[in-house]
Every structure is written in structure tokens, then in C-alpha cells.
Amino acid sequence: MVDKEENNNFFVRSGVPRIGDKYTLRTGETTSYYFKFTGLQEGKPAEKLLNIVSSFTAEQGIETKDLYFIGVPYGASLLGVDLSVSVGNGRRVLARKEPAKRAETLAEKYFSGRVEVGDRVIFLEDVLTTGDNLAEQISRAREVGLEVDTAIALVDRRETAFTEGTWPNEKKISAVERFAVVGVSVLTITNVHSLIPKAVKLMHQGNVRLIEDIINYYARHGVDLNVFEKPVHIEEFGDQKTIYPNHNLNNKLLQAFIEEGLLTMS
């Protein structure tokens, strides 16, 4: 059985959550936190990550011996190959970041390695934000004739992929929901709520300004909002002590900080 708590602690200790500075994401947004898996690409950390994903896949009941994995470049490229060799059919396939300018077939244009019409593949994404990169790779795979109905994300930022409707009835759609519409189930190993409070507790405990900055960012871009149905009093937030329903800070990340013991609720 997958031990989610152990896996989350491993990710935090391995430096996957990066916190404190101002980072610019691929979306162009500036944030105080992001996730990076470069420290888990070789040696024992890579073996541990491979075991985590293999165990997770098995627990989901996915039969993998007749399929192969493709990592979204570049963060999950090597992991995709390793999983294919370890629990898949052994096919080593890399997705190209940019289509090859000179290719004899459509498959060679998009992928490096043997790819055949009708192959079933599972895509891997290291960090799921809007899902744009994953969507592009799935679109290419289907254009080639591959069967794609499942993807795995190591960590889900739980942010808005797009919105439906207009204010005040605007609805935020997550990346996971985005892919469900096109027949792809995105399975996530962990998410922002599970990792960021743990990382702050380890490296920045007591930095209330940083915590509030993180929660404010999530209020603007996150999808898990308005989790408290009654007013919540937060001792550490100075003048802004009470969070009411529909308040921008009323979100699941605030709840996660409280559960981690970094904020005091009354």
C-alpha cells in the first residue's frame, strides 16, 4: 500500500518544494513557491521516485506490462523511460519538446523511439499547473494514433486551467477536470496542500508574512476555495484575523497550514 505521508516527507526532504524567493512560472505568474524534481534524477533518490510511481500505478489497478510511459519534456522524460523498462513493456520513447524539422514520419516528428499506431501509453508530468504542456503531448500522441486515456502527475499545484462563465458566476476549472473532458484521467501522487505547509514548517516556520503571501497567491490562482462554512479566527494574521466564507483567504491551503500546526484557528 502506498504510504502518502512517507512519500510527501521524502519529497520535502529532497527539496522538491522550493519556497521563499519570487519565482516566475511558465505561465508568467510570480509566486513564492514552486516544485522541482531535478534532485531525484539519479542514484538512490531516482530509485526511490521510481518505486513511488510504480507502487502508485499498481495501487490504481493499472496493468502496465503491455504499455509504455512517456514523460512530458523535460522534467519527466527520464522517469518515463525508467518506468517503461521497470514495469512497462520495455519500450524506450522520448517526447520531443519541439517537433523535428526533418522527419520521415509523423511519429518521428513528435517522438524519439519506436512508436506504432494503436500503442497504449501513459504520460507522466512532473508538475501539473494548467496542463498546457501535457495537453500538447497528448494531442500529438493521438494524432500519431496512440491510445491515451491515463496520465500521472507527480504533484498537482491545484490551480486554474481555465474559467467558465462570467463574474460573479465564474467557475474555475482545474487541470484534472480539463483532461476529464477529453477522456483522459489524470492521477496525481501528491499536491500543493500536502507539500507546501510541510516545507514551510521545515524551512520557514514562524514566517507568517511568507505564509500569508503563499495563501494569497493560491486565493488568486487555486481551485480549492471556500472550504470553511463558518468564520475562522486566525491568531497570527494581525489586523486581518477573521476569515469569513467567500473571503479570498478561505481556501484549502489555509486549511492545510492550520492542520500542519503553523496557524492557530479559533
Side-chain angles (χ1 to χ4, degrees), residues 11-248:
F11 289 143
V12 171
R13 291 194 306 268
S14 300
V16 170
R18 309 291 177 92
I19 299 173
D21 296 321
K22 290 295 183 181
Y23 307 106
T24 301
L25 303 175
R26 293 174 186 172
T27 59
E29 299 293 341
T30 301
T31 175
S32 296
Y33 63 89
Y34 78 112
F35 303 93
K36 200 170 184 66
F37 284 85
T38 52
L40 305 181
Q41 292 184 345
E42 57 184 11
K44 290 190 178 298
E47 293 177 10
K48 174 68 173 178
L49 179 60
L50 180 64
N51 179 261
I52 287 173
V53 182
S54 300
S55 299
F56 175 80
T57 304
E59 188 171 77
Q60 301 303 310
I62 301 173
E63 180 55 61
T64 59
K65 65 180 181 179
D66 295 324
L67 58 78
Y68 53 93
F69 296 81
I70 301 178
V72 175
Y74 294 107
S77 296
L78 296 179
L79 180 59
V81 171
D82 289 343
L83 276 167
S84 295
V85 173
S86 177
V87 299
N89 65 8
R91 193 87 61 83
R92 301 168 184 260
V93 176
L94 294 172
R96 301 186 191 278
K97 180 72 172 178
E98 300 294 337
K101 294 182 179 180
R102 297 181 181 179
E104 295 183 0
T105 66
L106 191 60
E108 291 177 355
K109 179 180 180 181
Y110 294 140
F111 301 100
S112 172
R114 184 163 63 90
V115 171
E116 299 175 350
V117 173
D119 285 349
R120 183 172 175 231
V121 302
I122 291 179
F123 274 94
L124 290 170
E125 177 65 289
D126 57 349
V127 183
L128 186 66
T129 306
T130 63
D132 287 349
N133 292 332
L134 177 58
E136 183 175 39
Q137 291 296 333
I138 291 174
S139 177
R140 291 176 181 178
R142 286 178 167 177
E143 185 181 351
V144 169
L146 306 185
E147 296 182 10
V148 186
D149 58 20
T150 304
I152 296 174
L154 302 184
V155 58
D156 185 358
R157 288 182 63 98
R158 297 297 298 157
E159 293 190 17
T160 305
F162 61 88
T163 58
E164 289 182 344
T166 56
W167 189 88
N169 299 314
E170 184 178 80
K171 180 182 179 182
K172 293 183 176 182
I173 305 299
S174 71
V176 171
E177 293 172 316
R178 167 188 183 173
F179 287 104
V181 173
V182 295
V184 177
S185 174
V186 179
L187 309 174
T188 60
I189 292 178
T190 190
N191 57 50
V192 61
H193 311 308
S194 299
L195 294 184
I196 291 301
K198 287 182 179 298
V200 171
K201 188 173 185 178
L202 179 66
M203 297 177 286
H204 301 279
Q205 188 166 359
N207 191 338
V208 176
R209 179 174 294 181
L210 174 62
I211 293 174
E212 192 166 0
D213 185 57
I214 290 171
I215 297 173
N216 266 305
Y217 170 87
Y218 190 78
R220 298 191 302 272
H221 303 285
V223 292
D224 301 315
L225 308 177
N226 214 36
V227 298
F228 297 106
E229 297 179 356
K230 297 180 179 179
V232 176
H233 186 75
I234 306 296
E235 296 290 344
E236 292 84 358
F237 279 177
D239 293 336
Q240 188 172 276
K241 291 182 178 179
T242 304
I243 311 300
Y244 293 90
N246 297 315
H247 188 280
N248 65 323

